[in-house]
Amino acid sequence: QFTVFHIDPSRSADVLTQIPSPPFQGVLGCDYFSAYRKYMEEHNTQVQFCLAHLIRDVKFLTTLPDAATRRWADQMLQALRQLFHV
């Protein structure tokens, strides 16, 4: 059981398919970059999307003009606060 970090000057999908090489049996921690979604679908890999990215995106939704979207985003932020309070 270990964690692998790889820093590369490129964010191309080619880099992701090289490290880790399939069949990857763990959980891939990542942001929402499309290469991760492609890898997940092609290799049946479990993915844990970055919660910090999710929180940032939900906070952005609270600034939009649509009232229903803002209410939903406020409810999501409250749920995330409760999650991290635990």
Side-chain angles (χ1 to χ4, degrees), residues 1 6 10-15 21-22 28-29 33 36 40 42 49-50 54-55 57-59 66 70 80-81 83:
Q1 296 184 14
H6 177 77
S10 170
R11 282 185 51 113
S12 76
D14 293 337
V15 173
S21 60
L28 184 61
F33 185 54
Y36 297 114
M40 175 180 69
E42 290 180 356
F49 291 113
C50 174
L54 174 64
I55 292 167
D57 292 347
V58 172
K59 284 181 178 179
D66 180 62
R70 288 194 316 269
L80 288 164
R81 286 184 191 106
L83 172 69

Side-chain angles (χ1 to χ4, degrees), residues 18-36:
Q18 294 170 10
I19 301 172
S21 60
F24 179 65
Q25 300 296 315
V27 177
L28 184 61
C30 60
D31 60 12
Y32 300 116
F33 185 54
S34 61
Y36 297 114

Side-chain angles (χ1 to χ4, degrees), residues 3-85:
T3 300
V4 175
F5 291 93
H6 177 77
I7 299 172
D8 198 279
S10 170
R11 282 185 51 113
S12 76
D14 293 337
V15 173
L16 184 58
T17 58
Q18 294 170 10
I19 301 172
S21 60
F24 179 65
Q25 300 296 315
V27 177
L28 184 61
C30 60
D31 60 12
Y32 300 116
F33 185 54
S34 61
Y36 297 114
R37 293 173 193 249
K38 180 179 178 183
Y39 187 90
M40 175 180 69
E41 292 170 2
E42 290 180 356
H43 301 288
N44 196 31
T45 299
Q46 290 185 1
V47 173
Q48 169 64 59
F49 291 113
C50 174
L51 291 174
H53 282 79
L54 174 64
I55 292 167
R56 180 192 64 201
D57 292 347
V58 172
K59 284 181 178 179
F60 169 75
L61 293 177
T62 67
T63 68
L64 296 180
D66 180 62
T69 300
R70 288 194 316 269
R71 279 192 303 275
W72 180 86
D74 287 335
Q75 291 172 353
M76 285 296 297
L77 285 176
Q78 182 59 32
L80 288 164
R81 286 184 191 106
Q82 289 175 354
L83 172 69
F84 285 102
H85 180 73

